[in-house]
PDB file of all heavy atoms in Angstrom:
ATOM      1  N   GLU A 215       6.656  66.334   8.559  1.00  0.00           N
ATOM      2  CA  GLU A 215       5.310  66.869   8.357  1.00  0.00           C
ATOM      3  C   GLU A 215       4.371  66.391   9.458  1.00  0.00           C
ATOM      4  O   GLU A 215       3.451  67.114   9.862  1.00  0.00           O
ATOM      5  CB  GLU A 215       4.779  66.449   6.984  1.00  0.00           C
ATOM      6  CG  GLU A 215       5.518  67.071   5.813  1.00  0.00           C
ATOM      7  CD  GLU A 215       5.404  68.589   5.795  1.00  0.00           C
ATOM      8  OE1 GLU A 215       4.310  69.112   6.123  1.00  0.00           O
ATOM      9  OE2 GLU A 215       6.404  69.264   5.465  1.00  0.00           O
ATOM     10  N   LEU A 216       4.582  65.160   9.931  1.00  0.00           N
ATOM     11  CA  LEU A 216       3.795  64.672  11.062  1.00  0.00           C
ATOM     12  C   LEU A 216       4.036  65.549  12.289  1.00  0.00           C
ATOM     13  O   LEU A 216       3.092  65.941  12.978  1.00  0.00           O
ATOM     14  CB  LEU A 216       4.165  63.220  11.369  1.00  0.00           C
ATOM     15  CG  LEU A 216       3.542  62.619  12.643  1.00  0.00           C
ATOM     16  CD1 LEU A 216       2.026  62.603  12.550  1.00  0.00           C
ATOM     17  CD2 LEU A 216       4.085  61.206  12.892  1.00  0.00           C
ATOM     18  N   GLU A 217       5.284  65.858  12.549  1.00  0.00           N
ATOM     19  CA  GLU A 217       5.620  66.717  13.689  1.00  0.00           C
ATOM     20  C   GLU A 217       4.925  68.075  13.555  1.00  0.00           C
ATOM     21  O   GLU A 217       4.357  68.597  14.537  1.00  0.00           O
ATOM     22  CB  GLU A 217       7.132  66.896  13.775  1.00  0.00           C
ATOM     23  CG  GLU A 217       7.617  67.803  14.895  1.00  0.00           C
ATOM     24  CD  GLU A 217       7.386  67.215  16.268  1.00  0.00           C
ATOM     25  OE1 GLU A 217       7.574  66.001  16.440  1.00  0.00           O
ATOM     26  OE2 GLU A 217       7.012  67.987  17.176  1.00  0.00           O
ATOM     27  N   LYS A 218       4.948  68.648  12.361  1.00  0.00           N
ATOM     28  CA  LYS A 218       4.297  69.944  12.138  1.00  0.00           C
ATOM     29  C   LYS A 218       2.788  69.862  12.393  1.00  0.00           C
ATOM     30  O   LYS A 218       2.200  70.762  13.007  1.00  0.00           O
ATOM     31  CB  LYS A 218       4.543  70.424  10.709  1.00  0.00           C
ATOM     32  CG  LYS A 218       5.966  70.867  10.421  1.00  0.00           C
ATOM     33  CD  LYS A 218       6.091  71.278   8.953  1.00  0.00           C
ATOM     34  CE  LYS A 218       7.530  71.628   8.593  1.00  0.00           C
ATOM     35  NZ  LYS A 218       7.663  71.966   7.152  1.00  0.00           N
ATOM     36  N   GLU A 219       2.164  68.776  11.908  1.00  0.00           N
ATOM     37  CA  GLU A 219       0.716  68.620  12.084  1.00  0.00           C
ATOM     38  C   GLU A 219       0.360  68.491  13.559  1.00  0.00           C
ATOM     39  O   GLU A 219      -0.633  69.064  14.025  1.00  0.00           O
ATOM     40  CB  GLU A 219       0.221  67.400  11.310  1.00  0.00           C
ATOM     41  CG  GLU A 219      -0.051  67.660   9.847  1.00  0.00           C
ATOM     42  CD  GLU A 219      -1.173  68.664   9.649  1.00  0.00           C
ATOM     43  OE1 GLU A 219      -2.318  68.367  10.031  1.00  0.00           O
ATOM     44  OE2 GLU A 219      -0.892  69.766   9.147  1.00  0.00           O
ATOM     45  N   ILE A 220       1.153  67.736  14.296  1.00  0.00           N
ATOM     46  CA  ILE A 220       0.894  67.571  15.726  1.00  0.00           C
ATOM     47  C   ILE A 220       0.996  68.923  16.440  1.00  0.00           C
ATOM     48  O   ILE A 220       0.130  69.283  17.262  1.00  0.00           O
ATOM     49  CB  ILE A 220       1.871  66.555  16.333  1.00  0.00           C
ATOM     50  CG1 ILE A 220       1.586  65.142  15.783  1.00  0.00           C
ATOM     51  CG2 ILE A 220       1.779  66.546  17.859  1.00  0.00           C
ATOM     52  CD1 ILE A 220       2.620  64.112  16.147  1.00  0.00           C
ATOM     53  N   GLN A 221       2.035  69.678  16.131  1.00  0.00           N
ATOM     54  CA  GLN A 221       2.205  70.994  16.764  1.00  0.00           C
ATOM     55  C   GLN A 221       1.064  71.932  16.386  1.00  0.00           C
ATOM     56  O   GLN A 221       0.553  72.689  17.235  1.00  0.00           O
ATOM     57  CB  GLN A 221       3.553  71.595  16.353  1.00  0.00           C
ATOM     58  CG  GLN A 221       4.772  70.817  16.821  1.00  0.00           C
ATOM     59  CD  GLN A 221       4.982  70.850  18.323  1.00  0.00           C
ATOM     60  OE1 GLN A 221       4.229  71.497  19.063  1.00  0.00           O
ATOM     61  NE2 GLN A 221       5.998  70.145  18.804  1.00  0.00           N
ATOM     62  N   ARG A 222       0.650  71.890  15.138  1.00  0.00           N
ATOM     63  CA  ARG A 222      -0.436  72.756  14.683  1.00  0.00           C
ATOM     64  C   ARG A 222      -1.736  72.418  15.407  1.00  0.00           C
ATOM     65  O   ARG A 222      -2.458  73.315  15.881  1.00  0.00           O
ATOM     66  CB  ARG A 222      -0.627  72.609  13.176  1.00  0.00           C
ATOM     67  CG  ARG A 222      -1.716  73.515  12.595  1.00  0.00           C
ATOM     68  CD  ARG A 222      -1.925  73.262  11.111  1.00  0.00           C
ATOM     69  NE  ARG A 222      -2.463  71.936  10.854  1.00  0.00           N
ATOM     70  CZ  ARG A 222      -3.748  71.623  11.004  1.00  0.00           C
ATOM     71  NH1 ARG A 222      -4.631  72.538  11.429  1.00  0.00           N
ATOM     72  NH2 ARG A 222      -4.174  70.406  10.731  1.00  0.00           N
ATOM     73  N   VAL A 223      -2.036  71.121  15.507  1.00  0.00           N
ATOM     74  CA  VAL A 223      -3.275  70.676  16.146  1.00  0.00           C
ATOM     75  C   VAL A 223      -3.279  71.054  17.628  1.00  0.00           C
ATOM     76  O   VAL A 223      -4.295  71.500  18.174  1.00  0.00           O
ATOM     77  CB  VAL A 223      -3.435  69.158  15.956  1.00  0.00           C
ATOM     78  CG1 VAL A 223      -4.459  68.583  16.921  1.00  0.00           C
ATOM     79  CG2 VAL A 223      -3.835  68.845  14.519  1.00  0.00           C
ATOM     80  N   LYS A 224      -2.127  70.904  18.282  1.00  0.00           N
ATOM     81  CA  LYS A 224      -2.038  71.297  19.691  1.00  0.00           C
ATOM     82  C   LYS A 224      -2.306  72.799  19.860  1.00  0.00           C
ATOM     83  O   LYS A 224      -3.015  73.213  20.789  1.00  0.00           O
ATOM     84  CB  LYS A 224      -0.656  70.959  20.240  1.00  0.00           C
ATOM     85  CG  LYS A 224      -0.446  69.497  20.589  1.00  0.00           C
ATOM     86  CD  LYS A 224       0.918  69.303  21.225  1.00  0.00           C
ATOM     87  CE  LYS A 224       1.120  67.891  21.744  1.00  0.00           C
ATOM     88  NZ  LYS A 224       2.438  67.710  22.390  1.00  0.00           N
ATOM     89  N   ALA A 225      -1.747  73.582  18.963  1.00  0.00           N
ATOM     90  CA  ALA A 225      -1.930  75.032  19.048  1.00  0.00           C
ATOM     91  C   ALA A 225      -3.385  75.421  18.868  1.00  0.00           C
ATOM     92  O   ALA A 225      -3.839  76.450  19.398  1.00  0.00           O
ATOM     93  CB  ALA A 225      -1.059  75.727  17.998  1.00  0.00           C
ATOM     94  N   GLU A 226      -4.134  74.604  18.134  1.00  0.00           N
ATOM     95  CA  GLU A 226      -5.552  74.887  17.903  1.00  0.00           C
ATOM     96  C   GLU A 226      -6.435  74.385  19.038  1.00  0.00           C
ATOM     97  O   GLU A 226      -7.656  74.578  19.009  1.00  0.00           O
ATOM     98  CB  GLU A 226      -6.000  74.255  16.585  1.00  0.00           C
ATOM     99  CG  GLU A 226      -5.364  74.910  15.365  1.00  0.00           C
ATOM    100  CD  GLU A 226      -5.726  74.199  14.070  1.00  0.00           C
ATOM    101  OE1 GLU A 226      -6.366  73.115  14.154  1.00  0.00           O
ATOM    102  OE2 GLU A 226      -5.394  74.717  12.985  1.00  0.00           O
ATOM    103  N   GLY A 227      -5.837  73.692  20.013  1.00  0.00           N
ATOM    104  CA  GLY A 227      -6.598  73.255  21.179  1.00  0.00           C
ATOM    105  C   GLY A 227      -7.093  71.826  21.148  1.00  0.00           C
ATOM    106  O   GLY A 227      -7.830  71.406  22.043  1.00  0.00           O
TER     107      GLY A 227
END
Side-chain angles (χ1 to χ4, degrees):
E215 293 298 322
L216 173 62
E217 178 68 40
K218 289 178 184 177
E219 277 296 296
I220 292 171
Q221 296 292 358
R222 182 184 66 79
V223 163
K224 282 184 173 181
E226 292 175 353

